[in-house]
Amino acid sequence: MIEVIPGWVRSGDSRFVSARFSIISIFLLLLLNGCTLSDAPVLSPKGPVALAERDLLFTAFGLMMIVAIPAILLTLYFAWRYRGSNETSTYTPNWEGSWKIETVVWLVPAVIIVALGTLVWTSTHKLDPYKALVSDKPAFKVQAIALDWKWLFLYPELGLASVNELAFPADRPVSIEITSDTVMNSLMIPALGGQIYAMAGMRSEINLMADGPGVFMGRNTMYSGDGFSDQHFKAHALSEADFQAWQGKASDMGKALDAGVYAELHKQSIADPVSYFSSYETDLFRTIMKKYAPVSTPHHHDSSKEEGAS
């Protein structure tokens, strides 16, 4: 059995710990001095999904503080109470069988586990990325394809496509189907909501919505090779007039995205500029997914069974 000996913190040590703690605190404050909420879009959400995720983050942090704050305060209290210069404190190490201590030790963690379990269950269903958002307007459909190292966005309603730029009406939810024509990627627009993976041969989906017009940064959050750091894009939530103007620009500036053009686009490249395509091959998204579908094994005809049956 290990016993705590009174006076384990000498007065000189306590002054050293206090000075070191002050230096670290000042250093952290200097680091945070130049930070604003705009530099941390997760903490400054611009859509209902991101807002719900931020509130969940704060709730989880608060639950953790139920344990962390008492532990920190008790540590400081013990260090002060059993300091070397304090000779009057009563040292009572034999507290086995204390119902007060046992109640705190077992009841508090049990309550926190129940609270966390309830929070995880409700939040998992509430923030399901596949769940359509409630709105009086239909969702705007987009198909996102991860390439090396760029994002290709297809707009089935418009028949247009864009590279490294996403545009959608600000007054409608946006529903993004996601796949990959390369290694695993992960699409995230922090100001609007969480991330979801893009995997070859598989379809994932995320539903987002902006509070209003704005420009938000999006990127690949899964390391995928040399051009990973430059694989980002801007997501434009546009008013009706601005979206019509964007549609006209993409149609006028773009060229057809046929098989040959897509083969060139599929080649590895870094920091590609924004580009547009006025049309693309029908069902391109599904065609790309089918490239990675497993080849089915043909069923062999078993003639022996027929002979036995006859």
Side-chain angles (χ1 to χ4, degrees):
M1 179 177 178
I2 300 176
E3 294 185 355
V4 180
I5 301 175
W8 65 274
V9 178
R10 299 187 300 274
S11 59
D13 292 338
S14 63
R15 288 194 296 270
F16 172 74
V17 172
S18 178
R20 183 170 60 178
F21 179 77
S22 300
I23 293 173
I24 293 174
S25 300
I26 294 172
F27 177 72
L28 292 175
L29 288 174
L30 290 174
L31 286 179
L32 294 173
N33 185 45
C35 296
T36 63
L37 287 180
S38 61
D39 299 323
V42 172
L43 301 179
S44 180
K46 302 301 181 182
V49 176
L51 177 60
E53 291 176 348
R54 188 202 64 179
D55 291 345
L56 176 61
L57 177 65
F58 286 169
T59 302
F61 180 80
L63 287 172
M64 289 187 290
M65 290 301 101
I66 294 175
V67 175
I69 291 177
I72 294 171
L73 294 178
L74 286 172
T75 300
L76 296 175
Y77 172 72
F78 290 157
W80 173 82
R81 178 179 175 83
Y82 297 109
R83 65 193 185 278
S85 60
N86 186 8
E87 299 178 355
T88 60
S89 298
T90 302
Y91 178 54
T92 55
N94 301 317
W95 45 264
E96 294 91 339
S98 171
W99 66 269
K100 294 180 180 180
I101 295 178
E102 292 292 339
T103 299
V104 173
V105 168
W106 288 101
L107 186 58
V108 173
V111 171
I112 293 176
I113 290 173
V114 172
L116 286 174
T118 303
L119 184 66
V120 169
W121 175 267
T122 56
S123 300
T124 299
H125 290 279
K126 178 182 178 182
L127 296 174
D128 182 358
Y130 287 79
K131 186 178 181 180
L133 300 180
V134 178
S135 175
D136 58 350
K137 295 186 178 181
F140 182 71
K141 302 291 185 180
V142 179
Q143 294 173 330
I145 301 168
L147 302 171
D148 290 329
W149 286 274
K150 59 188 83 74
W151 288 99
L152 171 63
F153 297 102
L154 308 177
Y155 305 88
E157 291 185 23
L158 310 178
L160 304 174
S162 62
V163 172
N164 287 341
E165 182 177 273
L166 171 63
F168 57 93
D171 60 344
R172 293 172 60 182
V174 56
S175 180
I176 308 175
E177 287 185 290
I178 306 169
T179 192
S180 173
D181 199 4
T182 178
V183 298
M184 181 184 292
N185 282 236
S186 181
L187 186 145
M188 183 178 188
I189 308 174
L192 299 182
Q195 62 86 30
I196 192 165
Y197 292 110
M199 294 169 281
M202 299 183 66
R203 171 194 172 278
S204 56
E205 180 181 340
I206 190 168
N207 288 272
L208 304 171
M209 190 172 183
D211 290 333
V215 180
F216 317 105
M217 291 303 301
R219 64 171 302 114
N220 169 28
T221 60
M222 171 67 71
Y223 179 72
S224 58
D226 295 341
F228 160 76
S229 60
D230 291 307
Q231 192 178 347
H232 46 73
F233 62 91
K234 290 183 178 180
H236 298 261
L238 303 172
S239 65
E240 183 176 353
D242 290 339
F243 186 72
Q244 293 294 333
W246 180 89
Q247 182 179 348
K249 179 182 68 174
S251 181
D252 294 339
M253 296 177 60
K255 58 182 178 180
L257 181 58
D258 55 24
V261 174
Y262 181 78
E264 290 297 317
L265 183 65
H266 186 266
K267 294 179 180 179
Q268 292 184 345
S269 57
I270 298 176
D272 280 48
V274 174
S275 57
Y276 306 102
F277 299 95
S278 57
S279 63
Y280 60 88
E281 290 192 351
T282 304
D283 214 18
L284 176 60
F285 186 86
R286 306 297 173 189
T287 301
I288 292 172
M289 287 184 59
K290 290 178 181 177
K291 287 171 54 177
Y292 301 93
V295 179
S296 58
T297 304
H299 296 286
H300 296 285
H301 185 67
D302 192 349
S303 58
S304 62
K305 290 186 178 180
E306 292 186 356
E307 292 175 358
S310 61

XYZ file of all heavy atoms in Angstrom, residues 216-259:
338
model
N -17.236 29.609 -48.243
C -16.695 28.768 -47.180
C -15.617 27.854 -47.749
O -15.749 27.357 -48.867
C -17.816 27.940 -46.547
C -19.076 28.718 -46.319
C -20.181 28.542 -47.136
C -19.153 29.655 -45.296
C -21.345 29.264 -46.945
C -20.306 30.386 -45.088
C -21.410 30.191 -45.914
N -14.591 27.627 -46.975
C -13.496 26.767 -47.414
C -13.853 25.301 -47.219
O -14.430 24.917 -46.203
C -12.213 27.089 -46.665
C -11.599 28.432 -47.006
S -11.241 28.614 -48.785
C -10.110 27.237 -49.056
N -13.507 24.489 -48.212
C -13.659 23.047 -48.120
C -12.364 22.381 -48.505
O -11.541 22.966 -49.212
N -12.177 21.151 -48.065
C -10.912 20.481 -48.372
C -11.028 18.979 -48.172
O -12.036 18.462 -47.669
C -9.788 21.031 -47.512
C -9.932 20.794 -46.015
C -8.652 21.188 -45.277
N -7.509 20.443 -45.773
C -6.475 21.001 -46.417
N -6.422 22.289 -46.600
N -5.461 20.265 -46.850
N -9.971 18.307 -48.558
C -9.800 16.893 -48.266
C -9.060 16.787 -46.945
O -7.966 17.312 -46.789
C -9.001 16.217 -49.386
C -8.556 14.815 -49.017
O -9.195 14.128 -48.227
N -7.458 14.375 -49.598
N -9.652 16.118 -45.955
C -9.016 15.991 -44.645
C -8.310 14.644 -44.458
O -7.823 14.363 -43.366
C -10.064 16.158 -43.528
O -11.071 15.156 -43.653
C -10.715 17.532 -43.611
N -8.262 13.823 -45.499
C -7.583 12.531 -45.430
C -6.291 12.608 -46.245
O -6.331 12.881 -47.448
C -8.489 11.431 -45.972
C -7.819 10.076 -46.156
S -7.328 9.296 -44.602
C -8.925 8.850 -43.946
N -5.147 12.383 -45.597
C -3.870 12.453 -46.317
C -3.876 11.477 -47.481
O -4.160 10.285 -47.311
C -2.703 12.138 -45.380
C -1.372 12.186 -46.094
C -0.832 13.400 -46.480
C -0.701 11.014 -46.422
C 0.380 13.453 -47.157
C 0.506 11.063 -47.097
C 1.042 12.284 -47.467
O 2.225 12.329 -48.149
N -3.557 11.982 -48.674
C -3.676 11.153 -49.874
C -2.501 11.310 -50.835
O -2.628 11.001 -52.007
C -4.982 11.506 -50.615
O -5.004 12.886 -50.951
N -1.380 11.820 -50.341
C -0.221 11.891 -51.212
C 0.334 13.303 -51.363
O 0.032 14.211 -50.591
N 1.151 13.486 -52.402
C 1.948 14.705 -52.578
C 1.112 15.982 -52.617
O 1.499 16.998 -52.060
C 2.774 14.607 -53.867
C 3.816 13.501 -53.801
O 4.140 13.077 -52.670
O 4.294 13.054 -54.861
N -0.037 15.947 -53.301
C -0.820 17.164 -53.472
C -1.890 17.371 -52.427
O -2.754 18.242 -52.597
N -1.830 16.623 -51.342
C -2.870 16.686 -50.314
C -3.058 18.098 -49.757
O -4.178 18.561 -49.583
C -2.519 15.712 -49.184
C -3.204 15.992 -47.880
C -4.535 15.673 -47.708
C -2.520 16.598 -46.825
C -5.182 15.925 -46.503
C -3.152 16.861 -45.631
C -4.491 16.529 -45.466
N -1.964 18.791 -49.489
C -2.062 20.103 -48.837
C -2.725 21.152 -49.718
O -3.216 22.167 -49.220
C -0.668 20.584 -48.420
O 0.181 20.691 -49.552
N -2.749 20.934 -51.033
C -3.373 21.897 -51.948
C -4.731 21.430 -52.450
O -5.309 22.075 -53.339
C -2.453 22.127 -53.158
C -1.184 22.873 -52.773
O -1.296 23.946 -52.157
O -0.080 22.373 -53.070
N -5.248 20.359 -51.893
C -6.536 19.834 -52.362
C -7.672 20.481 -51.579
O -8.305 19.871 -50.729
C -6.593 18.313 -52.230
C -7.783 17.684 -52.962
C -7.793 16.180 -52.854
O -6.802 15.579 -52.440
N -8.888 15.559 -53.220
N -7.922 21.728 -51.872
C -9.005 22.449 -51.209
C -9.834 23.193 -52.257
O -9.436 23.333 -53.419
C -8.457 23.408 -50.151
C -7.280 24.224 -50.617
N -7.393 25.266 -51.514
C -5.966 24.127 -50.309
C -6.213 25.793 -51.741
N -5.316 25.120 -51.027
N -10.971 23.683 -51.837
C -11.876 24.372 -52.757
C -12.699 25.382 -51.978
O -12.734 25.366 -50.742
C -12.795 23.368 -53.463
C -13.693 22.596 -52.532
C -14.959 23.060 -52.203
C -13.261 21.397 -51.965
C -15.779 22.356 -51.329
C -14.086 20.689 -51.090
C -15.343 21.165 -50.771
N -13.388 26.258 -52.704
C -14.309 27.212 -52.098
C -15.736 26.795 -52.402
O -16.069 26.462 -53.532
C -14.047 28.622 -52.620
C -12.742 29.236 -52.122
C -12.583 30.657 -52.605
C -11.293 31.272 -52.059
N -11.123 32.675 -52.539
N -16.554 26.797 -51.363
C -17.979 26.498 -51.514
C -18.747 27.819 -51.478
O -18.691 28.539 -50.474
C -18.448 25.573 -50.395
N -19.446 28.123 -52.560
C -20.165 29.382 -52.701
C -21.654 29.146 -52.486
O -22.297 28.460 -53.294
C -19.936 29.983 -54.082
C -18.513 30.333 -54.372
N -18.017 31.610 -54.250
C -17.463 29.556 -54.782
C -16.731 31.621 -54.557
N -16.375 30.393 -54.886
N -22.203 29.692 -51.410
C -23.650 29.726 -51.218
C -24.143 31.047 -51.796
O -23.808 32.115 -51.275
C -23.998 29.608 -49.740
N -24.915 30.979 -52.871
C -25.230 32.172 -53.657
C -26.711 32.517 -53.605
O -27.571 31.632 -53.487
C -24.814 31.945 -55.119
C -23.331 31.588 -55.345
C -23.106 31.192 -56.796
C -22.433 32.744 -54.954
N -26.991 33.798 -53.709
C -28.371 34.239 -53.860
C -28.890 33.768 -55.211
O -28.117 33.335 -56.084
C -28.457 35.753 -53.755
O -27.754 36.363 -54.839
N -30.191 33.877 -55.424
C -30.780 33.379 -56.670
C -30.168 34.066 -57.888
O -29.822 33.408 -58.877
C -32.290 33.588 -56.646
C -33.007 33.025 -57.868
C -34.514 33.149 -57.783
O -35.020 33.545 -56.714
O -35.185 32.849 -58.787
N -30.007 35.393 -57.820
C -29.444 36.131 -58.949
C -27.980 35.747 -59.178
O -27.544 35.539 -60.322
C -29.565 37.628 -58.695
N -27.205 35.652 -58.094
C -25.792 35.291 -58.227
C -25.627 33.868 -58.726
O -24.692 33.569 -59.489
C -25.079 35.468 -56.893
C -24.923 36.933 -56.508
O -24.999 37.786 -57.406
O -24.730 37.207 -55.300
N -26.523 32.983 -58.310
C -26.415 31.600 -58.776
C -26.727 31.506 -60.272
O -26.077 30.750 -60.997
C -27.354 30.694 -57.982
C -27.196 29.236 -58.314
C -26.073 28.533 -57.907
C -28.169 28.561 -59.056
C -25.909 27.188 -58.220
C -28.022 27.229 -59.368
C -26.888 26.536 -58.946
N -27.688 32.267 -60.724
C -27.985 32.297 -62.161
C -26.783 32.826 -62.931
O -26.454 32.322 -64.016
C -29.222 33.163 -62.419
C -30.519 32.595 -61.872
C -30.946 31.312 -62.568
O -30.616 31.076 -63.723
N -31.673 30.465 -61.837
N -26.117 33.839 -62.385
C -24.927 34.384 -63.040
C -23.799 33.360 -63.066
O -23.084 33.219 -64.069
C -24.481 35.658 -62.318
N -23.635 32.630 -61.947
C -22.598 31.578 -61.911
C -22.902 30.496 -62.923
O -21.992 30.006 -63.618
C -22.529 30.980 -60.502
C -21.494 29.896 -60.379
C -20.187 30.040 -60.044
C -21.688 28.499 -60.636
N -19.550 28.825 -60.060
C -20.451 27.859 -60.421
C -22.789 27.733 -61.013
C -20.273 26.492 -60.574
C -22.612 26.363 -61.170
C -21.380 25.751 -60.950
N -24.146 30.109 -63.038
C -24.539 29.083 -64.006
C -24.228 29.530 -65.431
O -23.705 28.758 -66.239
C -26.036 28.782 -63.861
C -26.531 27.686 -64.801
C -28.014 27.403 -64.609
O -28.631 27.863 -63.643
N -28.586 26.645 -65.525
N -24.527 30.788 -65.728
C -24.220 31.295 -67.060
C -22.725 31.327 -67.336
O -22.275 30.980 -68.432
N -21.934 31.733 -66.326
C -20.480 31.762 -66.494
C -19.919 30.369 -66.726
O -19.079 30.159 -67.615
C -19.840 32.386 -65.250
C -18.327 32.441 -65.289
C -17.742 33.035 -64.018
C -17.952 32.127 -62.819
N -17.244 32.644 -61.613
N -20.365 29.402 -65.937
C -19.873 28.032 -66.094
C -20.250 27.467 -67.455
O -19.467 26.737 -68.082
C -20.426 27.155 -64.981
N -21.441 27.798 -67.938
C -21.885 27.293 -69.236
C -21.099 27.924 -70.370
O -20.737 27.250 -71.344
C -23.380 27.565 -69.409
O -23.834 27.068 -70.649
N -20.806 29.232 -70.263
C -20.094 29.933 -71.339
C -18.609 29.595 -71.359
O -18.011 29.448 -72.433
C -20.275 31.448 -71.170
C -21.714 31.883 -71.356
O -22.479 31.123 -71.993
O -22.078 32.964 -70.850
N -18.000 29.468 -70.180
C -16.553 29.251 -70.108
C -16.168 27.786 -70.236
O -15.014 27.467 -70.548
C -16.020 29.794 -68.782
C -16.154 31.292 -68.605
S -15.575 31.849 -66.980
C -13.864 31.304 -67.015
N -17.109 26.880 -69.959
C -16.768 25.466 -69.898
C -16.751 24.786 -71.257
O -17.271 25.283 -72.254
N -16.136 23.612 -71.247
C -16.140 22.749 -72.430
C -16.762 21.423 -72.041
O -17.042 21.161 -70.859
C -14.723 22.549 -72.948
C -13.765 21.940 -71.932
C -12.360 21.815 -72.517
C -11.387 21.234 -71.471
N -10.020 21.095 -72.016
N -16.986 20.569 -73.012
C -17.631 19.282 -72.747
C -16.668 18.351 -72.005
O -15.489 18.243 -72.365
C -18.088 18.648 -74.044
N -17.170 17.693 -70.985
C -16.379 16.721 -70.231
C -16.682 15.332 -70.783
O -17.494 14.582 -70.247
C -16.715 16.806 -68.739
C -15.957 15.866 -67.797
C -14.459 16.073 -67.885
C -16.432 16.050 -66.362
N -15.992 14.985 -71.876
C -16.190 13.668 -72.473
C -15.144 12.708 -71.919
O -14.364 13.049 -71.021
C -16.122 13.753 -74.002
C -14.839 14.392 -74.516
O -13.817 14.366 -73.777
O -14.836 14.925 -75.634
N -15.104 11.493 -72.448
C -14.201 10.466 -71.934
C -12.741 10.878 -72.056
O -11.938 10.649 -71.141
C -14.444 9.151 -72.658
